[in-house]
Each structure stands twice: as C-alpha cells, then as structure tokens.
C-alpha cells in the first residue's frame, strides 16, 4: 500500500493545526529574528524584546517597534499566508497558531487563529492594562502615552512574560487533539510554542515541517520539506488552493 500523501492526510483529518513563525512572512519582506539578514542596529531580539529593556529605555524599544510597524505596513501576505487561509476554508476543525505579531495572516483571510505572542497593532496601557488597537503609522511621538498619562507598550509577549492564558490553553488543546500539524517557518527554539509540535506528536498527530533549513523539530517530524514556504505550501496543498483571481480578502 502506498503511503498517503500530505494532501490525503489533510483530506482525511478531522482536525488540522498550523503553527507558524517568522519564516512564513519572510517572503513578504518581513525580517526573521534569528536569520542572517540581521536586525535593526545589530541588536539581538532578545535584548529588545524584554520587559527589562522597556523599563530601561522605552524610547529605544519603541523605535524598534515603530521601525517594524512602518515596514510591515507596506508589506502584503505572500502565497504561504494565502495557502494557509485556503486550508482553513477546506477543513472543518482548524486552528492557526501563529507566533507572528505582524497581522499578515489576518490580511490573507485567516480567521480561526490564535496570536500567541500578541500583535504589533495593539498597545497596552502600563497603568490600566487596557488594550487598544493602534494602526497609526507613523506614531506621532515616541514613546506613546495613554490618555491617562501613563506609558503604553506594544501588546506583545516579551521574553520572561507569560503568554495570554486563553491563547496558550487553546493552543495546547488544539495540539493535543489534532490529526495533522503543519509547522511552518519557525526555528522551534522559543518556548512554549516550540513544545506544541511535540505535544501534537505525543498525542498521535502527523507532524509536517516546512522550513528553509533543519531545526530541532526536524528529527521528530514525520515529514520535512526544506524550501521557501511560499513555494512549498502551494505545492503541498495543490488542489486545496483557491485560484487567486477568485479570492476576495476583505
Ligand atoms: C523560512 C523562510 C521561508 C526563513 N520559508 N522558512 C529554556 C527552556 C525553556 C524555556 C526557556 C528556556 N530559557 C528561557 C526560556 C523561556 C523563553 C525561551 O523560550 N527562550 C529561548 C530563546 C530559550 N520563553 C519565554 O520567555 C516565553 N515566556 C515564558 O516562557 O513564560 C514563562 C512564564 C510563565 C508564567 C509567568 C511568567 C513567565 C515568552 C516568549 C516570547 C517570545 N517573544 C518574541 C517577541 C514577540 C514580540 C515581537 O515580535 O517583537 O517572539 S521573541 C521572537 O521569537 C518572537 C517570535 O515569535 C519568536 C519565535 O521566533 P520564530 O518565529 O521561530 O522566528 P526565527 O527567526 O527564530 O526563525 C525563523 C525560521 O524561519 C528559521 O528557522 C528560518 O530557517 C525559517 N525561514 N525564511 C520557510 N521563506
């Protein structure tokens, strides 16, 4: 008997989970964290994405986020985002778990998604904890302040911070109950997101990795496809993809 293809497995699956990282947005021109392309001013993401860094120099941290917001505002979803949105439309029980904060999955039409690390397009008041959408590009001044006078921060999850409890619970539940888990463009180094494919695997899911290069997950995945997500995913999902000219992304 022939081994079922990925497409067959997806067609037969009751529940499908997709976990994405920065690599899924790389072909949209959004820099990854740990790649060779480097980050702004040669800072390591770990040195800017911490509450300590923000307490030390909120303006510097905001400059980094402002730079990213300006860049991302000019970027569009790529065929990898589109393939994932198409997959959602074809699967009854589906969850996209993204570590990305860029909002490109939503722009591509993904709706059943959990943003594990928050969003660049929301801010949170340090005094009141209120979260508001903020799409202003550029921001009028840095660092920005709330109407109450307190500093606001990006509504993202920094190192050493807990993930939103509802989001991580939903992600664990989905990982434990899915039949197929597709892991795209993540270095699989940052916890707890990196544990999700292992949880899926331990509960019987068929785990497929798509990445430019091997990661710590590769040895455990059932299939690894090395290449650009924007090229590999449309090939893998083949007939599940909608013709782009007929697709309307609100
Ligand atoms: C392509 C491609 C193409 C390129 N096609 N592929 C030891 C063990 C366990 C845990 C820890 C530990 N030491 C420390 C920790 C905790 C820490 C952690 O995991 N650290 C590790 C670095 C070791 N984790 C945390 O602190 C988390 N919180 C936590 O644990 O809380 C505990 C707690 C509980 C209760 C109370 C209090 C605390 C929080 C982690 C938050 C991560 N935040 C960031 C920033 C978000 C905001 C922002 O964007 O500014 O999230 S850091 C950064 O890394 C960002 C990303 O979402 C995340 C993951 O990166 P990702 O997406 O994998 O990107 P890259 O760049 O690493 O990889 C890209 C990949 O794409 C590469 O593999 C390329 O090959 C590939 N690629 N182009 C396909 N075209």
């Amino acid at each position: 008997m022939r081994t079922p293809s990925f497409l067959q497995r997806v067609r037969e699956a009751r529940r499908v989970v997709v976990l994405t990282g920065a690599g899924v947005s790389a072909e949209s021109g959004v820099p990854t964290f740990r790649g060779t392309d480097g980050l702004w001013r040669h800072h390591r993401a770990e040195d800017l994405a911490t509450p300590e860094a923000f307490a030390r120099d909120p303006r510097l941290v905001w400059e980094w986020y402002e730079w990213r917001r300006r860049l991302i505002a000019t970027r569009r979803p790529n065929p990898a985002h589109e393939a994932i949105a198409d997959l959602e439309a074809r699967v009854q029980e589906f969850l996209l778990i993204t570590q990305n904060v860029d909002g490109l999955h939503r722009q591509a039409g993904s709706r059943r998604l959990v943003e594990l690390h928050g969003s660049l397009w929301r801010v949170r008041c340090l005094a009141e904890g209120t979260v508001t959408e903020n799409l202003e590009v550029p921001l009028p001044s840095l660092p920005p302040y709330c109407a109450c006078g307190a500093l606001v921060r990006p509504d993202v999850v920094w190192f050493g911070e807990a993930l939103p409890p509802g989001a991580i619970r939903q992600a664990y539940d989905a990982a434990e109950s899915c039949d197929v888990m597709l892991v795209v463009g993540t270095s699989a180094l940052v916890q707890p997101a990196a544990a999700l494919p292992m949880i899926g695997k331990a509960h019987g899911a068929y785990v497929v990795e798509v990445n430019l290069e091997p990661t710590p997950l590769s040895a455990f995945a059932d299939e690894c496809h090395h290449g650009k997500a924007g090229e590999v995913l449309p090939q893998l999902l083949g007939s599940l993809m909608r013709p782009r000219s007929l697709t309307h992304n609100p």
Side-chain angles (χ1 to χ4, degrees):
M1 208 174 77
R2 282 185 60 200
T3 317
S5 66
F6 174 69
L7 202 56
Q8 273 171 284
R9 289 187 188 275
V10 167
R11 284 208 174 100
E12 286 159 17
R14 280 194 51 223
R15 296 190 172 115
V16 175
V17 165
V18 179
L19 170 67
T20 62
V24 83
S25 295
E27 289 155 74
S28 295
V30 179
T32 60
F33 290 91
R34 296 170 187 83
T36 45
D37 284 348
L39 282 158
W40 179 68
R41 292 191 191 172
H42 309 291
H43 283 288
R44 295 187 322 135
E46 287 85 342
D47 293 338
L48 286 165
T50 66
E52 293 77 20
F54 190 72
R56 203 165 42 238
D57 193 343
R59 187 183 162 85
L60 175 73
V61 172
W62 260 114
E63 280 173 359
W64 187 54
Y65 281 94
E66 170 71 353
W67 173 80
R68 290 170 61 198
R69 282 164 60 106
R70 281 184 194 226
L71 175 87
I72 291 163
T74 65
R75 304 299 148 148
R76 293 290 164 262
N78 66 57
H81 298 104
E82 289 167 355
I84 293 166
D86 285 359
L87 179 60
E88 172 180 337
R90 302 296 185 112
V91 177
Q92 217 168 13
E93 291 193 50
F94 177 93
L95 188 66
L96 167 59
I97 305 167
T98 186
Q99 300 169 78
N100 298 347
V101 298
D102 56 30
L104 291 179
H105 281 301
R106 272 186 207 281
Q107 263 193 55
S110 289
R111 291 297 174 265
R112 286 179 271 167
L113 84 166
V114 170
E115 292 173 322
L116 271 190
H117 294 162
S119 169
L120 270 183
W121 304 109
R122 294 191 306 256
V123 297
R124 191 184 335 143
C125 171
L126 283 192
E128 300 165 325
T130 23
V131 173
T132 45
E133 187 179 66
N134 181 309
L135 306 174
E136 251 181 310
V137 173
L139 285 164
S141 64
L142 294 182
Y145 287 88
C146 178
C148 79
L151 260 179
V152 296
R153 57 166 280 178
D155 187 35
V156 298
V157 182
W158 286 325
F159 284 109
E161 294 186 317
L163 277 66
I168 191 63
R169 187 67 264 157
Q170 216 185 332
Y172 280 139
D173 287 348
E176 285 170 7
S177 61
C178 65
D179 308 300
V180 172
M181 186 184 288
L182 179 59
V183 184
V184 187
T186 176
S187 55
L189 291 171
V190 175
Q191 299 292 350
L196 293 168
M198 313 305 289
I199 292 171
K201 178 97 180 139
H203 285 78
Y206 189 80
V207 176
V208 178
E209 180 182 55
V210 176
N211 200 304
L212 282 183
E213 57 192 26
T215 73
L217 170 65
S218 306
F220 301 93
D222 295 290
E223 277 180 36
C224 294
H225 298 266
H226 296 307
K228 292 184 176 179
E231 293 169 7
V232 174
L233 285 184
Q235 275 168 22
L236 270 182
L237 295 171
S239 57
L240 290 183
M241 298 272 300
R242 290 177 288 189
R244 260 14 275 170
S245 55
L246 300 179
T247 320
H248 170 65
N249 293 325

